[in-house]
Amino acid sequence: MIKIRSAEILSVGTELLLGDIVNTDSAFISRRLAALGINQYYQGVVGDNPERLESALSLSLSRSDLVILTGGLGPTYDDLTKETAARLMGRSMYLHEESLQRMMARFEKRGLTMTENNKKQAYMPEGAIVFKNDYGTAPGLAMEDEEKGKIIIMLPGPPRECEPLFSEQVEPYLRGFSDRVFFSKTVNIFGMGESRVESILREEMLGASNPTVAPYAKDGEVQLRVTASGKSEAECVEMCDREIEKIKATEVGGFIYGVDAGSLEDALVAELIRQNKKIACAESCTGGYVAKRITNVSGSSAVLDGSIVTYANRVKEKFVGVSHETLEAHGAVSRETAIEMARGVKELFGADIGISTTGVAGPTGGTPEKPVGRVYVGVVCDGYEEVRELNIGNGLQTREYVRYVSASNALDLARRAITK
Amino acid sequence: MIKIRSAEILSVGTELLLGDIVNTDSAFISRRLAALGINQYYQGVVGDNPERLESALSLSLSRSDLVILTGGLGPTYDDLTKETAARLMGRSMYLHEESLQRMMARFEKRGLTMTENNKKQAYMPEGAIVFKNDYGTAPGLAMEDEEKGKIIIMLPGPPRECEPLFSEQVEPYLRGFSDRVFFSKTVNIFGMGESRVESILREEMLGASNPTVAPYAKDGEVQLRVTASGKSEAECVEMCDREIEKIKATEVGGFIYGVDAGSLEDALVAELIRQNKKIACAESCTGGYVAKRITNVSGSSAVLDGSIVTYANRVKEKFVGVSHETLEAHGAVSRETAIEMARGVKELFGADIGISTTGVAGPTGGTPEKPVGRVYVGVVCDGYEEVRELNIGNGLQTREYVRYVSASNALDLARRAITK
């Protein structure tokens, strides 16, 4: 049996080189390969050009046991992935009757006539394993070279075909090559930067080979991916859990908002549902971003009845009862305004928790006292009140980033307040 | 002077090989390189491993004049793009004082202490051209090898750093290597699908070689990038404008909301400012997404005082005056509710234009009569009223997509209403 020690993905298509589409297939397949415990060291993209495709594929085969090609299985003259791979493996092509029948049935069902060039898609290299395609025209396929210990898999490029073909047929096929099980858990961290997390966990991360601990940072958050391999899923889960307990016992522990928790909004909504509580937001600088993120979560209607954007001062006064004196004395961007907004919106919608944001999102509007990135987020619940002052970026972060991180802090503050 | 005949992008980061992030940097840079007239034949991805990075970079340099590396410029031990590239070009590293000062100022401004490992980010290869980073810690850089005719450019991986650095500093730098001027304009289209746009403009697009017309579809919108090359910018601008006039004269014209207009929200806010009018939204299924997008635009405080999320029926009744009878007779997801919400919110905030959204965002909550993706968006202004019924996706689209496209339609409807 061929031993798959490493894989690489080679994506075929000039549209990728022109940046007309983003390569989501690679990310999707990579996640799945990682979960199968198959290492990847390289990926490549090449255009619809037979010489360059052949040279790229030769290179990939020289350094990896499994090469997964996406794209270039279409009906037109410049789709040549299958033909190139077959030539490289020394296979001739034959008409795969079953694929042809399926394609014809598919066209008939949609009331279309199959053109002659579609027939090209039903030709297969000798000895290929065919993955039938229920989501499009071109079947996927695998070719094994036992002697050289190499496998080439080819899948159609459109994600709505590539993804289900991979999950439904390629994954079971690949599992047949391994006797080990892999399992990952993700630790979600907010409020501590990546380099701080790393410096605390450095020895843990460098030392651990099973489970491995890999950090990655995104939009002001850090995730740790803990991956174990073993003989059974149960064994792997236990190994991951033990590792996560160790991480929780460090200083990082105070900043963990969940394990496989999804996002801050997922964690908050889950906790609100658990406690059967409702939340409402009064947003100034985030302008709806907090409510938008809460309502990203399916089922959020159980925890949010309404929410308000109080952009203008007169709206802050009229709807959420910020006092004219507060605005005069401290300004809209202040601790005082933030807390009055949170109190007011809790009242306005009769919610259990009120949260608020007010700040300078930029790029204009900053002053020496209140620079771009200065934001106050407030929370009020059950007699508990808190305001967090933020200074996001150095006045040079994008408006989007300032607003996103402000919203993240509001979500985090709310979750912490109700779990105190 | 080095002649750039072809380029390739080599992305560095184990997180890409694990599929933890999607490689949007590559797509972004590819689009820009295409607009600069620089060909790309290959792209690669490699993990944070010095040997493999070195071998991948050597290969890239052997087949392309310009190699753009993204990622691996961080402060940690496994960030080694700069060191590897410097070694390959035979350059030693030195502390770039200016970068260090900028980093220290950045940390100080945020009230943070710079850790020792951050200092690594201020080291540069001898002779490097430094691209200062106003969006993060790690500066970008370029190294030129006049003798071999090769250029290596390195940029930080996070898109919010990579993209502005490329646009603001790398593009002008690369323009210096060409005696031709390239200039692009983007035609923004909403409400017509990509394949329809393509079939109408097919001859125009296939026939044109200068300017070229390249369509690309994203999140329910279509953009046409018109790129001209010539001896001067003025000449290119004129060529682009002539081409755009031709496009406007076709059926596509009715769906163009601007040229270099940015986004639907940019176009709407600009028009509202021009007309000195204010807008307010009552959002159900979009849950704040419309307000969030309007307030994405810097200066939107001139056109939006307040906005409301009316998720629960009681909130629809109490705050934006949807009648109990309407909700009973037609339900929350209906034309009737949408128009009452738009009327009510215009009144509530004393705005000139009221817009509304109500629908089934999914993935649950659909019924045979009102399936997932059924959304009503409404607009009321100056006695003009309109409701648009949407059926987004075929019940298989994500919640995010349904909500995004609903918000887009609300923005489009508002812009059309005030420009009627």
Side-chain angles (χ1 to χ4, degrees), chain A residues 17 30-31 40 43 45 52 59 198 287 291-292 295-296 305-307 309 311-312 314 349 394 396 399 403, chain B residues 17 19 40 42-43 45 76 106 109 134 287 291-292 295-296 305-307 309 311-312 314 349 399 403:
Chain A
L17 296 177
S30 297
R31 271 200 308 278
Q40 248 197 108
Q43 288 173 357
V45 178
R52 286 192 285 268
L59 174 68
E198 247 196 56
K292 187 262 165 189
T295 58
N296 278 355
D305 284 347
S307 198
V309 177
Y311 228 44
R314 70 163 183 90
F349 291 107
N394 50 359
L396 290 162
R399 183 175 173 87
R403 286 166 26 108
Chain B
L17 297 176
Q40 250 197 107
Y42 299 97
Q43 288 173 355
V45 178
T76 70
R106 189 181 159 82
K109 210 163 172 183
D134 289 335
K292 187 262 165 190
T295 58
N296 278 354
D305 284 347
S307 198
V309 176
Y311 227 44
R314 70 164 183 90
F349 292 106
R399 181 174 174 87
R403 286 167 25 108

Side-chain angles (χ1 to χ4, degrees), chain A residues 372-395:
Chain A
V372 170
R374 168 73 53 82
V375 176
Y376 296 91
V377 296
V379 65
V380 170
C381 72
D382 278 336
Y384 178 82
E385 299 192 344
E386 188 182 341
V387 177
R388 200 183 273 180
E389 181 186 291
L390 310 173
N391 292 288
I392 301 164
N394 50 359

Side-chain angles (χ1 to χ4, degrees), chain A residues 181-383:
Chain A
V181 172
F182 287 81
F183 191 86
S184 291
K185 289 197 175 193
T186 299
V187 181
N188 306 95
I189 296 165
F190 183 78
M192 186 182 258
E194 186 187 19
S195 54
R196 184 93 190 98
V197 171
E198 247 196 56
S199 72
I200 294 169
L201 299 179
R202 191 170 181 150
E203 278 180 42
E204 199 61 45
M205 292 193 303
L206 283 176
S209 66
N210 187 23
T212 56
V213 180
Y216 90 98
K218 201 188 157 196
D219 297 330
E221 291 190 38
V222 179
Q223 297 191 351
L224 295 173
R225 195 177 177 98
V226 180
T227 305
S229 73
K231 286 204 196 68
S232 70
E233 186 169 304
E235 186 193 356
C236 293
V237 169
E238 208 189 301
M239 287 164 76
C240 287
D241 287 344
R242 262 202 310 271
E243 186 65 33
I244 292 169
E245 284 313 308
K246 280 200 235 168
I247 295 166
K248 282 186 175 167
T250 69
E251 201 189 328
V252 175
F255 299 88
I256 293 174
Y257 69 83
V259 174
D260 292 328
S263 60
L264 283 164
E265 50 268 29
D266 287 321
L268 172 61
V269 169
E271 187 59 32
L272 287 166
I273 288 173
R274 209 182 62 77
Q275 297 192 16
N276 193 25
K277 281 184 176 160
K278 297 214 174 184
I279 195 165
C281 330
E283 303 184 56
S284 191
C285 65
T286 52
Y289 215 157
V290 181
K292 187 262 165 189
R293 285 177 61 184
I294 291 172
T295 58
N296 278 355
V297 185
S298 181
S300 51
S301 56
V303 306
L304 186 138
D305 284 347
S307 198
I308 191 165
V309 177
T310 58
Y311 228 44
N313 279 357
R314 70 163 183 90
V315 173
K316 289 185 183 75
E317 289 185 38
K318 182 172 173 189
F319 292 94
V320 291
V322 176
S323 77
H324 195 70
E325 293 67 38
T326 298
L327 289 169
E328 287 282 307
H330 306 284
V333 179
S334 65
R335 285 187 175 277
E336 292 76 8
T337 298
I339 205 69
E340 290 184 25
M341 285 169 69
R343 285 181 202 141
V345 77
K346 176 174 178 291
E347 183 76 22
L348 185 72
F349 291 107
D352 303 296
I353 301 106
I355 53 177
S356 64
T357 63
T358 180
V360 188
T364 60
T367 64
E369 302 79 48
K370 291 173 185 176
V372 170
R374 168 73 53 82
V375 176
Y376 296 91
V377 296
V379 65
V380 170
C381 72
D382 278 336

Side-chain angles (χ1 to χ4, degrees), chain B residues 27-71:
Chain B
F28 177 85
I29 296 172
S30 297
R31 271 202 308 279
R32 296 310 184 99
L33 288 176
L36 287 166
I38 298 174
N39 292 317
Q40 250 197 107
Y41 302 119
Y42 299 97
Q43 288 173 355
V45 178
V46 63
D48 301 303
N49 171 288
E51 289 78 34
R52 286 191 285 268
L53 172 55
E54 186 167 335
S55 96
L57 180 54
S58 295
L59 174 69
S60 295
L61 284 170
S62 75
R63 57 189 184 188
S64 303
D65 302 323
L66 165 65
V67 179
I68 300 178
L69 292 152
T70 60

Side-chain angles (χ1 to χ4, degrees), chain B residues 251-285:
Chain B
E251 200 189 328
V252 175
F255 298 89
I256 294 173
Y257 69 82
V259 175
D260 292 328
S263 60
L264 284 164
E265 49 269 29
D266 288 322
L268 172 61
V269 170
E271 187 58 32
L272 287 166
I273 288 175
R274 211 183 60 76
Q275 296 191 16
N276 194 24
K277 281 185 176 160
K278 297 214 173 185
I279 195 165
C281 330
E283 304 184 55
S284 191
C285 64

Side-chain angles (χ1 to χ4, degrees), chain B residues 64-84:
Chain B
S64 303
D65 302 323
L66 165 65
V67 179
I68 300 178
L69 292 152
T70 60
L73 298 180
T76 70
Y77 65 93
D78 65 350
D79 291 304
L80 19 85
T81 298
K82 210 165 43 183
E83 293 75 6
T84 306

